[in-house]
Amino acid sequence: MRRRGLCFLALIPILVLPAAAPSSDRAFDTSIRQLRAAVAGRSDGGHLLLLSSLRQLRDPSLRSFYLQLAHHGEPGSQIHAILGLAEIDSSGHIDPWLVSQLDSPAARYATIDNALQLDLIDTPQIKELLGWDDLEPEARVLLLAELLIRGEPIDQPALETLAGHERLRVAGLAAGVLSQLGHGDALSTFRSRLEAAPRSQAVVLLRTLFADVSRYELTTLLDWIADTIQQGELDPDTRAVGIATVLGLEPERGVALWARALGAEPTYSASLRYGLMLLAAAPEVGAAAFDRLPGGDPLLDGMSRAGKAVCTGQDVVAALNALADLGHPASISWVMAAAGELDHDQAAGVYTHLIDAVSGADKDRPDARAAVAFIAVSKLFQIDPGAVIARLDAAEDDGIEQQAILLGLLESNLPTAGRVAEGIKRIGFSRADSLALILIAKHAEQISPEQLQQLGVIASGGGLVVPTLEAQAAWLYLKHAAKIEQALAVTFADPPTP
């Protein structure tokens, strides 16, 4: 199963006073500025956040925008455009021809890499891309490795050529795939080249290659990784990446390496780091491994109990919730991931607990609990929409829980989410009112003239929402005002400068 990543929007309060309702021309002009901000390349990457937000809409009406951006945007924007097109296409796959039109080799590689990780390329497309004469070696070896994990035949002569490439990243992955196919000579050659490389370069390569081993399950390289880990001169960060790789692919061996690296008297920071590493490999590592973590500290004890619970299947929900209550961000991220592997009833028990925790937060100064809660809402809605709807009905109007639920629903593409928002009492431009209207506009085929006017206010900065949601409001305004073509003509006629 391909790994997917969700794009969640940061819940950061913007202290903006509600604006007066803009005229239709003013709302149009404001929406154009929002689009131009997303199109214009910025050194801080702010435009990419806006594009990520627009992609979250999964709106087919964005097709013409993405097509123009794919041809006229800067490389980072072009990547988002091609991925966005795949996400709204009925096939769910990227267009290889658009990838071929990218001028930047780095952009082509990044597009292919991201599309593979998001499961936006099927096997016939991989073979089509491999048929290009001018495909970059970095992308070629990535695609060949992908064929390996999909159980497809691989062009061995092509791998052998790549294993001799001057760039060690290319050579290393090619040698690893060849080794997995039963041809280990290339790996021996690569190891010799790596040992001769400058130390700073070798460290970066090792971390990258360890990650490749994990991603493509190159188990024949685990002996090499184990040998490398036990070298005294290896830095702690690289050693940790290597141990995590072995833990994920061969837990029994990984636990032995993990325990040796942790040592008899680890520092507190090392204990936390290695505790999280062990949690990430549960339940395969077994409950006994957690006995090696130092005791007597609430967080470490909580990690140990949660890990053992996942391994044994006993009192899992209570252990995960107790660990989350300690407020350690990395542990909460693991709790969220672990909940996704539970049955629906157990997962709902964890998500509900995380949503409950937001009740003590200040609605005008949301903290980390609110961000966790809206992610939990989005996950709970996938398995039990009724539970989310019931919570929304019972939530305090304009309260932090209502806001968190609405933010979580914005992550959903189910039309039900829009219908749920229609039941929210909206009397102005509070944050909750704005979130509800964006949600309605996202799913409705039509909205009322009054709602359209209010959407223009939000796009203009009067809805107390973050800029990424203002960008969504701007696009939805243009869509419901039937002004997309006009807006794109203006946006791309005179491309803005960063």
Side-chain angles (χ1 to χ4, degrees):
M1 183 67 66
R2 178 59 50 205
R3 289 74 60 198
R4 291 181 179 269
L6 294 176
C7 176
F8 296 110
L9 302 177
L11 183 61
I12 303 173
I14 304 295
L15 300 179
V16 180
L17 294 176
S23 67
S24 58
D25 286 344
R26 180 181 169 191
F28 177 79
D29 291 342
T30 297
S31 298
I32 292 296
R33 286 197 295 273
Q34 292 281 3
L35 284 189
R36 288 166 69 86
V39 169
R42 287 170 44 182
S43 59
D44 64 359
H47 64 300
L48 301 181
L49 292 176
L50 299 178
L51 291 174
S52 293
S53 181
L54 291 176
R55 281 175 56 193
Q56 187 193 38
L57 290 173
R58 299 292 196 273
D59 191 335
S61 72
L62 281 159
R63 177 177 172 79
S64 54
F65 171 71
Y66 288 146
L67 282 172
Q68 294 203 52
L69 190 61
H71 289 291
H72 303 296
E74 54 82 41
S77 300
Q78 290 177 312
I79 294 168
H80 274 282
I82 294 174
L83 296 176
L85 281 167
E87 290 163 342
I88 62 174
D89 189 82
S90 59
S91 71
H93 300 136
I94 63 168
D95 182 344
W97 182 81
L98 285 175
V99 180
S100 73
Q101 299 304 296
L102 296 173
D103 293 327
S104 164
R108 282 194 294 270
Y109 170 81
T111 302
I112 291 171
D113 187 21
N114 279 277
L116 287 172
Q117 296 191 62
L118 294 171
D119 213 7
L120 299 176
I121 302 182
D122 63 8
T123 300
Q125 287 178 316
I126 290 177
K127 295 178 179 178
E128 178 182 348
L129 292 167
L130 286 170
W132 295 355
D133 292 334
D134 59 349
L135 183 66
E136 292 73 24
E138 290 84 354
R140 187 176 298 279
V141 72
L142 209 63
L143 291 167
L144 289 169
E146 187 71 21
L147 288 179
L148 173 73
I149 202 169
R150 295 187 184 196
E152 295 287 334
I154 300 177
D155 184 349
Q156 186 175 321
L159 276 174
E160 292 170 347
T161 298
L162 291 167
H165 198 276
E166 62 180 358
R167 297 173 193 163
L168 286 176
R169 164 71 195 286
V170 174
L173 181 52
V177 176
L178 282 169
S179 176
Q180 196 68 23
L181 293 172
H183 306 284
D185 291 346
L187 182 60
S188 298
T189 302
F190 168 75
R191 291 181 64 175
S192 298
R193 292 178 61 188
L194 184 62
E195 290 170 2
R199 179 172 176 77
S200 58
Q201 180 185 6
V203 166
V204 174
L205 280 167
L206 280 173
R207 294 178 192 171
T208 302
L209 289 171
F210 289 167
D212 286 339
V213 169
S214 179
R215 177 175 176 178
Y216 296 109
E217 300 178 8
L218 305 178
T219 54
T220 59
L221 272 66
L222 294 183
D223 287 341
W224 166 59
I225 294 178
D227 290 343
T228 304
I229 288 171
Q230 296 176 79
Q231 294 175 5
E233 67 273 13
L234 199 65
D235 68 279
D237 290 341
T238 306
R239 180 179 291 108
V241 176
I243 293 171
T245 299
V246 181
L247 275 170
L249 296 177
E250 196 173 304
E252 185 175 351
R253 179 192 284 191
V255 168
L257 292 170
W258 175 89
R260 188 177 300 117
L262 180 65
E265 297 182 359
T267 64
Y268 185 68
S269 61
S271 297
L272 287 179
R273 179 177 197 169
Y274 278 76
L276 287 167
M277 193 186 302
L278 201 61
L279 285 174
E284 285 77 10
V285 293
F290 289 91
D291 289 333
R292 298 177 182 267
L293 280 176
D297 172 76
L299 181 54
L300 290 173
D301 288 344
M303 293 168 70
S304 180
R305 284 192 294 269
K308 289 178 179 180
V310 169
C311 291
T312 62
Q314 299 178 359
D315 299 320
V316 180
V317 174
L320 293 182
N321 289 346
L323 179 57
D325 287 343
L326 297 176
H328 183 238
S331 295
I332 293 174
S333 294
W334 175 79
V335 166
M336 195 78 74
E341 301 299 321
L342 303 177
D343 64 50
H344 284 181
D345 287 342
Q346 290 178 315
V350 176
Y351 299 145
T352 299
H353 185 78
L354 293 171
I355 299 169
D356 287 340
V358 80
S359 60
D362 185 339
K363 71 174 184 178
D364 295 318
R365 299 179 64 85
D367 57 21
R369 287 173 292 178
V372 170
F374 87 73
I375 297 172
V377 167
S378 69
K379 292 182 176 294
L380 182 60
F381 194 69
Q382 294 175 26
I383 61 175
D384 191 353
V388 174
I389 294 171
R391 292 189 71 99
L392 184 60
D393 289 341
E396 177 190 358
D397 189 41
D398 262 352
I400 188 64
E401 183 177 1
Q402 186 185 63
Q403 294 177 31
I405 293 173
L406 291 170
L407 275 167
L409 291 175
L410 279 170
E411 185 65 31
S412 173
N413 292 308
L414 296 175
T416 308
R419 292 194 292 271
V420 168
E422 291 175 356
I424 298 294
K425 179 181 179 181
R426 293 180 295 105
I427 58 176
F429 293 95
S430 70
R431 188 176 293 110
D433 290 342
S434 299
L435 293 172
L437 182 55
I438 293 171
L439 193 52
I440 292 169
K442 175 180 177 178
H443 293 282
E445 292 186 10
Q446 292 183 324
I447 59 176
S448 69
E450 180 184 10
Q451 289 174 324
L452 182 64
Q453 185 181 58
Q454 292 171 336
L455 204 56
V457 172
I458 299 170
S460 302
L464 297 175
V465 296
V466 293
T468 47
L469 291 178
E470 290 176 0
Q472 288 191 7
W475 181 263
L476 293 170
Y477 173 84
L478 294 170
K479 173 185 175 180
H480 287 288
K483 294 184 176 181
I484 288 177
E485 291 186 11
Q486 182 183 351
L488 295 184
V490 175
T491 299
F492 289 101
D494 182 21
T497 55

